Amino acid sequence: MTADSLRHGPRLALPAWSIVTDKRRAHIGRVVTLLRSWAETLALPATDTQAWVDAGTWHDALRDADEHMLRTVTSDHTRPFGMLHGPATAIRLAAIGETRQDVLDAIRWHTVGQSDWSRVGRALYMADFLEPGRSFMQADRAFLASCVPLAFDDVFRQVVRMRLEWAIREGKGLAPETVALWETVR
């Protein structure tokens, strides 16, 4: 993993219907770079590596879409707007033939977590939080990112805890899926 690839990310194959700004595209690239690096270090089979890369590439494909569009795609009129892009993207991907349920679940729940995720969901959840373009706790997050291949489950537990603590500190509500995830890893 080069410093340049972490800054700019890999070339991305986003669906034609994606709605992403240049800033979002850079974030997605950094997430994919982390996922690819972890998968290579862990010597995952090619199919697993591709699942991780695809989940990372597509996770924010509709992050910059407007609220009306996301509510229309999801038929969800209750969840906060910021939680709709994952489900909307998973719905769109399934509609065009994506059948890997672990990839769809990773994308669908990447903002709140899911207690019965496979490793692809857990890896995406960590990479989305630990990618180096975020400005907070850079040294701590970089350290955790470097530890993922060595202590995958331990780092995952720490990331869940950190995200939960942030949500509580900021006065954000906790989604039931987030609470269930915490219950499975604590």
Side-chain angles (χ1 to χ4, degrees):
M1 179 168 26
T2 67
D4 189 55
S5 69
L6 280 175
R7 250 191 318 280
H8 302 292
R11 193 171 165 89
L12 300 172
L14 290 166
W17 42 259
S18 296
I19 302 172
V20 295
T21 61
D22 288 342
K23 182 179 176 182
R24 184 77 52 207
R25 187 179 296 274
H27 159 73
I28 292 168
R30 291 186 300 269
V31 168
V32 169
T33 298
L34 264 183
L35 289 166
R36 188 182 308 277
S37 171
W38 295 339
E40 288 172 2
T41 302
L42 290 165
L44 295 183
T47 55
D48 292 350
T49 298
Q50 192 61 56
W52 286 28
V53 167
D54 289 345
T57 300
W58 300 331
H59 82 283
D60 274 353
L62 290 175
R63 183 64 177 100
D64 298 313
D66 66 46
E67 183 172 0
H68 175 74
M69 184 263 211
L70 295 177
R71 292 204 185 279
T72 299
V73 171
T74 62
S75 298
D76 187 330
H77 300 284
T78 58
R79 281 194 187 260
F81 168 58
M83 293 181 182
L84 298 177
H85 66 282
T89 300
I91 289 166
R92 284 272 179 98
L93 288 167
I96 62 170
E98 178 56 55
T99 59
R100 294 171 294 176
Q101 195 60 50
D102 59 344
V103 171
L104 295 172
D105 287 344
I107 292 165
R108 178 179 308 278
W109 301 111
H110 79 272
T111 59
V112 296
Q114 180 67 3
S115 62
D116 60 355
W117 258 338
S118 69
R119 283 185 79 173
V120 67
R122 291 171 181 240
L124 176 59
Y125 191 79
M126 288 189 287
D128 193 33
F129 180 75
L130 297 174
E131 68 94 340
R134 297 186 182 274
S135 61
F136 63 95
M137 298 174 24
Q138 289 180 323
D140 292 337
R141 289 181 317 94
F143 174 75
L144 287 172
S146 73
C147 292
V148 167
L150 305 170
F152 188 95
D153 293 334
D154 293 333
V155 174
F156 181 68
R157 182 178 307 103
Q158 180 67 15
V159 168
V160 171
R161 195 190 86 201
M162 290 169 78
R163 290 180 71 161
L164 199 74
E165 287 172 348
W166 174 85
I168 293 167
R169 186 174 52 252
E170 296 296 315
K172 308 283 184 190
L174 296 177
E177 296 85 1
T178 306
V179 174
L181 176 60
W182 175 245
E183 290 297 321
T184 64
V185 299
R186 68 184 182 118

